[in-house]
Amino acid sequence: MPDLMPRENLVLRMQAEVQRALDKPQNSRRWGMVIDTRKCVGCHACTISCVAENKLPPGVVYRPVLDHEVGTYPNVTRKFMPRPCLQCDEPPCVPVCPVGATFKRADGVVAIDYNQCIGCRYCIVACPYGARTFDAGHTYTGSTPEQQPYELLPSYEYGVAHSRVAGSEDSPVGNARKCHFCIHRVEQGELPMCVTTCIGVANYFGDLNDPDSIVAEMAAKPNVVVLKEELGTKPSVTYLV
Amino acid sequence: MKTISTPTQGKAGLPVRVSWLLAVVFAVAGVAGIIWRFIGGHSAADYGSYVPWGLWIAAYVALIGASAGAFAYAAFIFTQRRKDHYPMAVMATLVAFGAFAAGMLNVWLDLGHPMRAWKLVFQTSFGSVMGLMAWLYVAYGLILLVGLYRMRKGTIPSLLERYSWVAFLFAVLFAGAEGSLFGVVGAQPLWESGLTPILFLAESGLFGLGLVAAAAWIFGILDSARARTIGTGMLIMGAAVLVMEWAEFSTGLMAGVPGKTEGLLAIIAGPYWWVFWILHFGLGLVVPAVLLIYKRGDAMATGLAGALVGAMAIASKLNLILPAIAQEEIAGLSEAFSGPGLGTTYFPTAMEWLVWMGTLGLAGLVVLTGHRYLAPHFAKTLQETK
Amino acid sequence: MTFEVKDSEAAPESGFPVTRRTFVKSAALVGGGVALAGGVQDWFNPAIAETARGEAAYALSDPRSILHTSCLQCNTGCAIKVKVIDGVVSKIDGSPFSPMTFWPHLDYKTSPLETGGIDGWVCPKGQAGIQSVYDPYRIRKVLKRVGPRGAGEWESIDFAQAVDEIVNGGSFSDGTTTPGLREIRAMTDPALSEEIAAAIKKITDEKDKDKKKELAAEFKTTFAASLDQMIDPEHPDLGPKNNQFCFAWGRLKDGRGEMIKRFTGEAMGSVNAHGHTTVCQGSLYFTGKAMSEQFTEGKWSGGSKFYWQADLNHAEFVIFVGSNIFEANYGPPYRVEKVTDGLVSGRLKYVVVDPRMGKTGAKAWKWLPVKPGADAAVALALIQAIMRDERYNAGFLANANKAAASAAGEPTFCNATWLVKIEDGHPAKLLRGSDLGIEPEEREKASGSGTWKFDPFIAMVGGVPTPLDPNDEENPVVGDLLVDATVEGIAVKSALAVLADSANEHSMEEWAEIAGLNVDDLEAVAREFTSHGRRAAADLHRGVSQHTNGYYNVQAWFDLNLLIGNYDYAGGLTAGKTYDQKGGKKGQPFPVESMLDSALLDSGVTLLRTSKYESSTIFDGYPAKRPWYPLATDLYQEIVPSIGDAYPYPMKALFMYMGSPVYALPAGHTNIEVLKDPGKLPLFVAFDIVMGETSAYADYIIPDLSYLERWEFQKTHFNVIAKNAPVRQPVIAPMTESATVFGIEQPISLESFLLAVAETMDLPGFGPNGLGEGMPFMRPEDLYLKEVANIAYGEKPDAEDAVEEASDEELELFVESRKHLPASVFDEAAWKSAIGNDESLWRRVVTVLNRGGRFQGAGSVLDGKKLKNKYGKYIGMYCEKTYDTKDSMSGEHFSGVARYFEPGVDSVGTPVSALDEAEGFDLTLITFRTILHTKSRTVSNYWLNAVAPTNHVVVPASDAARLGLSDGDRVRLSSKSNPDGVMEVGDGRVVDMVGEVEILEGMRPGVVGFNLGYGHWAYGSNDIVIDGATIPGDPRRARGIHANPVMRTDGHNPNMCLVDLVGGSAVFYDTRVKLTRA
Ligand SMILES: Nc1nc2c(c(=O)[nH]1)N[C@H]1C(S)=C(S)[C@@H](COP(=O)(O)OP(=O)(O)OC[C@H]3O[C@@H](n4cnc5c(=O)[nH]c(N)nc54)[C@H](O)[C@@H]3O)O[C@H]1N2
Ligand SMILES: Nc1nc2c(c(=O)[nH]1)N[C@H]1C(S)=C(S)[C@@H](COP(=O)(O)OP(=O)(O)OC[C@H]3O[C@@H](n4cnc5c(=O)[nH]c(N)nc54)[C@H](O)[C@@H]3O)O[C@H]1N2
Ligand code: SF4
Ligand code: SF4
Ligand code: SF4
Ligand code: SF4
Ligand code: SF4
Ligand SMILES: [Mo]
């Protein structure tokens, strides 16, 4: 019988590890995520938390969760797979960008400079994981009797307040957009939104270069799988099955 | 057909008048579309994220390809000093410019931030084929403009004749590069093929020749000899396209590469099967081939075949783009979250059609005005060559 | 080039795009009055957004922009932290202070100044709560109908006018008039109300029919002067006319609950305050109540309306029965992590007993796709196997009283060994000392007011009948388990033997056949269940209880749990604990329920007949006109139909708070006919935040505050093992207009409206001395702050159990983080004065509010192998009180023991499911939740709709093949009671019971289902007219199917769904339907 001792709070542990990584220079940390599909219950809390945190408009999604039923009655199960940007180490989305608006940071995050992006969507085409979406400027409540204020609040992506109010210069409207590991939170010592909110605590996040971190430990498990490994994209997000 | 009809020679011929009418109508539609585009932004379009590119990119690729083909044809004529074909070369240059302008307008309006287009040239990332293309476009546009400018007086400067081979090579390179814009995308199994740039080349030649043949016929400079030559060119290019497509489909379907197979099947047996079979294959290849073979040297038939080939270019490019990107990167992705642009089906919206028509109208107007401006000057030159 | 924010649904093909549809805006719905801080329209002004930019790089972790409160996107009420930017909610996250949303959660002493950057867990609905609050269809002014009820036309009126018309009567453009509350509140004298109540009690308590008649006649003379205040002087037990006022609610939590009860009972003097429990998991609650009835001073009483759930944190094996823990239940943020942790660490394995696999079943060790309603068969099969193999916890079961339990270190005990009299082969009443000639013993009442007679129960001890007192703490009685004997000529069996008989009514093979499962699985589950000591549990929910046999399904499963004695054990069953806000415990500062200036005492039979039919003077043989439910309360499905049938008496007024019976109930559409008819229901007032499917029929709609704008005490849920009390408090400015009540400006809301009515009618329990002499009840905080103070103070005298006083920094944070709240809500002086300006208490209140509630530490949840927070009492395996109650339709006793009863039987015993099936309605319809939606009220959450734009008719693959259906096909559902598969809204619209097919393998063949939350015909999905302007509905809110109208109605009372007569459940899963291509 396993004992009855209280368990460790994984979120707090990972937050401490993030803090530890932040104390190092940017280029010696490498953010990564391991998603434990055994613990994922397909609830979409991560999807929606990301939408809310990053003020994503209709048509823009950073972390959809795929849901497949497998087997036949009565031997059936369902598999869930959240899909953030995998922050590839060899990101096919980066070299195609004609203006260098998207780039790989020293800490492993593949970022988009919202003020540089011209919205050509070449990177969207180039991502083999469908991880980029285009912000066409929709709103959820624009077609209703009243546009609601929460949609126009700034997002803090990349540590800058980006407004969706019409005409503002740093608006992400017209850009390609994608998951950025919530680097604006991570650099404050917090975890990506999808990681903190996950009701299954199915995500491990932290510095893959830190051997003592739980994410590094999990990333080295034998039951880790890499999405479309054959493409050689070397994702920083892997899955436990 | 010994004379060419020019405005100075009295009333324009019916095809020209019809062309004017069409071009103006298209342009007016386009103005409405463009206003809509700027008010409604991209939310008024049906392309988005899972199908990031649509009609405009297809049109852009088709038009740029055709432009390169047309220009290569002109350059070839100049290089060969085939003076009897010089009117065709001039027409080709004009067509190349019109198609280029229209293509550029398509892609410009397609940008999320059209006003940042300058970054493409001034903040280029040369590692990107598209970045490279941006410079090639600038260069190409300049070459066309300079060429047309130098030709404006009705004489073909010897400089042009001398360096045309460079221009020819450039056009070939350019068309091929356009192809590698797609060929390098590893994420799209349907494109990632060494054949893609070559196919692009052949298609460019085909579409370019087609448009030139059509324009030449409209403006009445297509005599039987010219028709025969250009018709032969079109047949050769068409055959090349067919062979390459055959190779692509047979290997692709047989190898069973996931993503590729579905894409190819979607093209030939998907809901838009008719785009491939009727538009591309039927109207774009078979019918023109039949016309060209059975009516060899017939100006009207050749012009018509050219028009068909040119018009169906868009079908071929739509087939290049849509089925490829409409494949879910990961099965079930489009069901995981819904919203505008997150579907795998795409059909251009009215706004997209209008804008697209407008760009074609623009191409038409460029060619028609160009012709109206150049023709008087050329009258003599052109006459002489006869 | 600039981009404008675009209309997401300006469908490209729909013509020329518009930046924003330009509607004629009705100020009543939108934009009017005091809206958001600064007004919504200002948000279109880039200048304001500019100020939001460039401030702190990440403003969302600044403690000054964070307030802690409680979610209400579903009834779990998780503790949340709300991040507010410029007065607008920017983000909602789980609170790290609460066990529900973080585990192990932060030490309560942690300063909220340090926790800005620590977010807890919430589910997707919790995240999307922003969209329930900022719903473009929110109502901000009082609406009064124009034209007939339900016609969809409204005018906005002044708050004062509404109060006046509702108090004094109103008239409508269609010529109808409504009575006023003043008229309905016929009895106004508190002293008289007490006398009348006493007289009524006497009549009701009288067993003898003739004497009852005499007492009733006597009443007429005694109260001759007041008979005009009675509903029916011939039947005084129906009570005063005040009872013709009914306050009904759907989702009501404490705080507001106290307020409504005070208004209805003490102020209006009506017994008719009714909730929605039976639509929810009625029989789960009422079996819990029956099993927790305690033997007190000679009577079975004090049963709590509650149920047990599994402690997933420590369990090693769990059977989830109709318990949808990954997608619903109470609630995913707390429960899921316990399971995923257990799965990956190897601690836990579980079984899902559910006709639908769902997400929970996907990770189960075994999914047992039971036939709907055959749940008791599964439990009884397991009981049989366990009894057969003697794998039960004999030690636990043998403890027959408190002393025996304490001696064995057991927190609970049950009556497994008590002897039950067997009459005609059936278990009847418990054997008592008096049956054996033992003279009952005279005992003092605890209150000191007289004596009662103790007549002991009997257990067999070593074959000797032994009297026992369940509450005896000194003399342990350890009984024989399986007894079948005759004592003094009376045939008796032990309760356990009686249960074994139920379990042996069929063989394992037969049980398997009934349940549609296989024996091997049942045997394996029985073995596993008994292989983990107390760290195993069966966790039940709606799928078990919402059947005509729901009560007994639940009892069978709770009995199974009794066999391993897992109650109050880590990894077993838990009852949860919360901090009491009512102040009822000794030493607490504000016993709010008894703080009154004066009050009416309500009396009489309730509208829902929650007393014994036989004891009423309108008893008229069997079957009763409508069923009576002495073992249940809050029978949602009975409210409107009973009004319609004027049984037991006609009603004058219905207030409906946050409930939508028309949408929520099975066959809820049958309510429409009554709600639409002012003849049957003269006055109908609804409190709502939008125009819901039920409020659409109201005479007046009082706009309410959303969950982020108001107070409530969410308390806890039974499965949370740490003591837990999230407090819901206003975190943003109210969106409703404001009004002046008792001279104080306050937002229009449930509270301000009730206060205004009280002011106008001078009702007791409200006003300057409403909470006792010198204690005003003139604004909500007068009550609620006192309740917060009770929580802060704790439940022990001398502040022994109080939270710490907030530091100066925390006080500052308290004010700073509320700077966007207007004075009509946050008025520090008024708040402080509500708790008597006690500085120390105030600081404790601040401590609680700064953390959004009070939470026990994760380190203190265990007591060895037991749970710290215990139920700790007697549990009835055999429920004598249930046996002692008669079915008002057949006149027969209910069973005191769990048994398998066929599901799908109507109130007069007709097996409607079987009959309907024979008529070709060959599929069983079930319903379930997904985590994305909460009932009628999340369709406004566009983010959630982006994940699932519609719901489906879920069809098992084999049935789909048989019917030739494929994914996306449209099918119509129909049933015997809704043969056309349609629903009439009453405004001319007809809603088709048509949905899109989704084919699943994870569904038991023969069972189809749909998930809750879609298929709206109101709630912003349809056009309505306010002040002459049309507010267009949003087609995104109308998608999908809501098939409740297809659910089977009762044969005897066709204006109501099927019911469980014992536990009161509204029945959701026993309808046979047909699918036809639409
Ligand atoms: N098909 C199907 N039907 C079901 C169920 C099922 O599983 N399947 N489950 C049942 C269960 S468990 C329950 S508990 C019932 C619940 O049913 P109800 O208790 O009737 O409650 P809700 O649907 O939560 O909300 C009712 C109405 O309250 C109003 N409202 C929303 N927010 C607020 C607010 O903040 N203030 C006020 N004053 N009003 C508000 C809206 O009009 C909303 O329609 O539904 C039942 N119905
Ligand atoms: N997402 C979400 N969460 C919620 C709510 C919500 O509306 N949405 N509401 C809250 C409320 S008020 C409640 S009451 C709870 C409800 O919590 P649950 O009762 O756990 O949730 P439901 O989905 O209604 O559960 C019914 C389950 O019973 C199954 N079932 C149907 N028929 C049978 C049967 O005959 N036998 C068995 N064994 N199973 C059967 C269904 O397939 C389904 O899985 O959820 C709470 N949490
Ligand atoms: S997942 Fe796609 S978007 Fe993300 S880094 Fe890799 S290629 Fe780029
Ligand atoms: S869309 Fe933006 S980020 Fe992507 S390739 Fe084009 S410019 Fe670069
Ligand atoms: S890391 Fe942040 S941006 Fe990426 S999916 Fe998670 S929440 Fe979204
Ligand atoms: S929040 Fe966690 S459990 Fe839910 S879908 Fe996302 S990863 Fe899975
Ligand atoms: S489970 Fe319910 S209360 Fe908890 S966050 Fe989700 S919706 Fe809110
Ligand atoms: Mo419920």
Side-chain angles (χ1 to χ4, degrees), chain A residues 140-146, chain C residues 7 9 21 23-24 29-30 135-138 152 691 693 939-940 942 989 1016-1026 1029-1039:
Chain A
Y140 281 100
T141 59
S143 61
T144 67
E146 188 176 38
Chain C
D7 166 357
E9 293 272 308
R21 274 199 231 165
F23 295 132
V24 191
L29 190 63
V30 297
D135 182 345
Y137 293 88
R138 284 244 350 229
M691 183 76 63
E693 268 76 13
V939 77
S940 52
Y942 299 114
R989 286 183 298 151
H1016 279 272
W1017 56 92
Y1019 218 93
S1021 70
N1022 63 319
D1023 296 357
I1024 53 168
V1025 175
I1026 301 181
T1030 301
I1031 309 280
D1034 184 342
R1036 288 174 294 180
R1037 301 162 78 121
R1039 294 175 185 150

Side-chain angles (χ1 to χ4, degrees), chain B residues 26-36 354 358:
Chain B
F26 270 48
V28 168
V31 169
I34 288 171
I35 292 172
W36 189 350
L354 287 176

Side-chain angles (χ1 to χ4, degrees), chain A residues 1-12 15 36-45 47-53 55-56 58 67 69 71-80 136-154 156 159-171 173-174 184-185 188-191 193 195-201 204, chain C residues 3-9 20-21 23 25 30-31 36 40-41 43-44 46 49 52-54 57-61 83 85 88-91 93 102-104 106 117-124 127 130-131 134-137 140 313-314 316 326 332-333 336-338 340-341 344 357-359 362-363 367 369 532 535 570 862 864-865 931 942-944 946-947 1000-1005 1031 1034 1036:
Chain A
M1 256 190 210
D3 64 27
L4 290 167
M5 293 311 288
R7 287 178 280 117
E8 179 178 32
N9 184 310
L10 272 175
V11 170
L12 291 178
Q15 251 179 287
D36 193 339
T37 58
R38 300 166 306 171
K39 294 178 84 182
C40 173
V41 298
C43 73
H44 297 96
T47 312
I48 305 298
S49 72
C50 176
V51 168
E53 173 72 14
K55 307 287 175 280
L56 305 185
D67 179 347
E69 187 182 60
T72 48
Y73 180 88
N75 302 309
V76 204
T77 187
R78 265 162 99 169
K79 304 257 181 238
F80 311 110
H138 296 276
T139 64
Y140 281 100
T141 59
S143 61
T144 67
E146 188 176 38
Q147 168 75 58
Q148 295 298 304
Y150 67 90
E151 287 200 76
L152 306 181
L153 288 178
Y156 299 92
V160 179
H162 297 280
S163 165
R164 283 190 77 72
V165 175
S168 62
E169 196 18 59
D170 54 4
S171 151
V173 176
H184 63 285
R185 283 170 60 86
Q188 304 284 319
E190 297 174 37
L191 294 171
M193 196 68 250
V195 175
T196 52
T197 209
C198 174
I199 63 170
V201 193
Y204 302 100
Chain C
F3 281 84
E4 294 218 34
V5 178
K6 294 307 151 356
D7 166 357
S8 71
E9 293 272 308
R20 223 176 292 120
R21 274 199 231 165
F23 295 132
K25 286 185 185 168
V30 297
L36 310 163
V40 175
Q41 296 309 325
W43 278 92
F44 294 115
R53 289 178 38 200
Y58 187 52
L60 299 185
S61 52
K83 304 166 178 178
I85 299 296
V88 177
V89 179
S90 177
K91 184 74 180 65
D93 281 297
F102 212 47
W103 188 263
L106 297 183
I118 305 173
D119 297 331
W121 316 321
V122 271
C123 86
Q127 299 278 357
I130 295 176
Q131 293 175 315
Y134 300 106
D135 182 345
Y137 293 88
R140 298 179 180 180
N313 202 33
H314 302 103
E316 292 182 351
F326 284 179
V336 167
E337 184 265 353
K338 313 291 174 287
T340 57
D341 166 79
V344 168
M357 178 184 71
K359 291 179 179 173
K363 293 190 195 291
W367 165 43
H532 299 273
R535 290 177 73 176
L862 291 185
K865 293 190 166 178
I931 197 163
Y942 299 114
W943 293 337
L944 302 177
V947 176
L1000 285 182
E1001 294 285 349
M1003 212 42 200
R1004 179 184 180 85
I1031 309 280
D1034 184 342
R1036 288 174 294 180

Side-chain angles (χ1 to χ4, degrees), chain C residues 854-905:
Chain C
R854 185 165 180 189
F855 315 100
Q856 184 184 31
S860 11
V861 295
L862 291 185
D863 166 15
K865 293 190 166 178
K866 289 162 223 152
L867 295 169
K868 179 72 128 280
N869 299 309
K870 296 183 183 66
Y871 164 77
K873 286 185 286 192
Y874 160 85
I875 299 165
M877 177 180 274
Y878 186 80
C879 297
E880 187 181 39
K881 188 174 174 178
T882 305
Y883 167 78
D884 228 8
T885 307
K886 281 183 180 166
D887 176 340
S888 60
M889 309 307 273
S890 69
E892 299 196 354
H893 284 275
F894 288 136
S895 171
V897 66
R899 283 186 61 197
Y900 172 72
F901 292 95
E902 180 190 344
V905 173

Side-chain angles (χ1 to χ4, degrees), chain A residues 44 47-48 51 58-61 64-66 68 81 83 95-100 113-122 124-130 132-134 136-138 140 169 171-175 227-228 231, chain B residues 40-44 47-50 52-54 57 110-114 116-117 119-120 123-131 180-182 184-188 191 325 329-333 336-342:
Chain A
H44 297 96
T47 312
I48 305 298
V51 168
V60 178
V61 62
V65 178
L66 288 84
H68 292 285
M81 195 191 76
R83 203 274 3 257
V96 299
C97 179
V99 293
D113 180 344
Y114 282 168
N115 295 328
Q116 179 68 6
C117 173
I118 60 170
C120 69
R121 310 192 291 289
Y122 199 5
I124 302 182
V125 173
C127 170
Y129 305 102
R132 288 174 172 249
T133 47
F134 178 59
H138 296 276
Y140 281 100
E169 196 18 59
S171 151
V173 176
N175 290 347
L227 274 194
K228 299 194 183 180
L231 295 178
Chain B
H42 293 272
S43 59
Y47 55 74
S49 296
Y50 295 160
W53 290 340
I57 294 296
D110 188 79
L111 291 181
H113 285 284
R116 293 184 189 164
K119 288 177 187 280
L120 278 164
Q123 295 174 354
T124 322
S125 167
F126 287 100
S128 160
V129 182
M130 195 184 283
S180 49
L181 198 66
F182 296 88
V184 298
V185 178
Q188 308 295 352
W191 300 341
I325 53 190
E329 271 74 15
I330 308 172
L333 188 58
F337 198 84
S338 72
L342 298 181

Side-chain angles (χ1 to χ4, degrees), chain C residues 507-584:
Chain C
S507 68
M508 287 298 281
E509 286 70 23
E510 285 164 354
W511 283 134
E513 170 72 26
I514 291 170
L517 301 172
N518 68 64
V519 177
D520 292 348
D521 283 331
L522 295 174
E523 293 283 358
V525 172
R527 188 149 273 279
E528 194 67 34
F529 186 69
T530 47
S531 298
H532 299 273
R534 324 269 190 141
R535 290 177 73 176
D539 186 274
L540 328 174
H541 228 260
R542 295 191 81 236
V544 190
S545 65
Q546 302 313 102
H547 293 278
T548 55
N549 57 3
Y551 176 96
Y552 293 106
N553 288 343
V554 175
Q555 195 182 356
W557 282 99
F558 279 147
D559 285 345
L560 177 74
N561 282 303
L562 277 174
L563 291 191
I564 60 166
N566 60 0
Y567 292 73
D568 286 349
Y569 274 83
L573 287 184
T574 156
K577 269 239 160 58
T578 187
Y579 293 92
D580 173 50
Q581 86 287 355
K582 293 183 190 164

